[in-house]
Amino acid sequence: MAQVQLRFYEELNDFLPPERRKTAFTHALTRRTSVKDLIESCGVPHTEVELILVNGRSVDFSYIVQADDRLSVYPVFESLDVSPLIRLRDKPLRHPRFVVDANLGQLARYLRLLGFDAIYRNDFTDRDVARIASQEKRIVLTRDRALLQHKIITHGYFVRAVKPREQVREILARLDLYRALRPFTRCLRCNGALEDVDKEAVLPQLEPKTKKYYHRFRRCQDCGQAYWKGSHFNRMEKLRDYFAAPPDPVR
């Protein structure tokens, strides 16, 4: 039976069984297959891959794998310039507009707090997420590998962390988004952009003590939700500072 040799690099090993991590291994070819399908048959979503070398030559996802090929598969690069090689998508993964899987609601809320455009609904189906990602050129955030294998999804990230706050820190670090932070500029409820408004514009929404003690307000351009620096704001500022601090480098 025909075989190929594969080697996955860096965090792509997260998707492999222990015996296949950080080492070359052989894989049987049982049928004609593209390199994209071969990679995903190993458990690695194509959205996590940025560069594929076959026998030392850069190829795209449509390449048909041949017997005895040697494949090296690399994740999205943060600092290495691979522009002379074949890139697998037109735009960089780190463009910070997201569509968030239905199971990651708190993550979506935290991303909005930091100013990121993060579409989310708790009734999204996998098909909804894939369609929105394709039509609006958004990055899919999910903990569902099968979702990232939808062919129409070109940009996506499999979230490793389980706790929402650690998920945010993981995404900021992995996609190098610290310079893109714009805290308190988006609606936590609906993701709309916030604008400064006169107090009179939001008076019907305010409780008596809020009317008395607060005078500066912002309002969501989409749903009309009012925001002000109330007693909760200090807690939100602490969250912002926690997320904005890059993790200590591993030594």
Side-chain angles (χ1 to χ4, degrees), residues 41-128:
S41 74
C42 295
V44 178
H46 71 278
T47 53
E48 296 279 320
V49 176
E50 182 73 351
L51 176 67
I52 306 167
L53 299 180
V54 176
N55 305 322
R57 181 172 61 89
S58 178
V59 301
D60 64 21
F61 283 132
S62 65
Y63 173 81
I64 302 301
V65 181
Q66 306 296 316
D68 300 320
D69 275 347
R70 294 176 290 104
L71 291 84
S72 300
V73 187
Y74 296 87
V76 174
F77 290 94
E78 296 297 331
S79 57
L80 181 62
D81 182 10
V82 294
S83 54
L85 305 174
I86 293 177
R87 300 299 291 264
L88 299 177
R89 48 189 64 84
D90 293 333
K91 296 181 179 180
L93 179 69
R94 294 183 298 279
H95 191 279
R97 298 174 69 239
F98 302 103
V99 54
V100 183
D101 191 1
N103 297 317
L104 298 176
Q106 188 59 55
L107 169 61
R109 185 177 175 86
Y110 284 150
L111 289 173
R112 292 170 180 175
L113 180 141
L114 295 174
F116 291 107
D117 183 346
I119 291 180
Y120 164 82
R121 280 212 325 255
N122 62 9
D123 60 348
F124 274 159
T125 65
D126 284 1
R127 184 172 295 180
D128 292 331

Side-chain angles (χ1 to χ4, degrees), residues 162-173:
V162 175
K163 296 181 179 180
R165 293 189 183 190
E166 297 312 308
Q167 290 172 345
V168 176
R169 287 172 64 85
E170 173 189 336
I171 291 165
L172 294 179

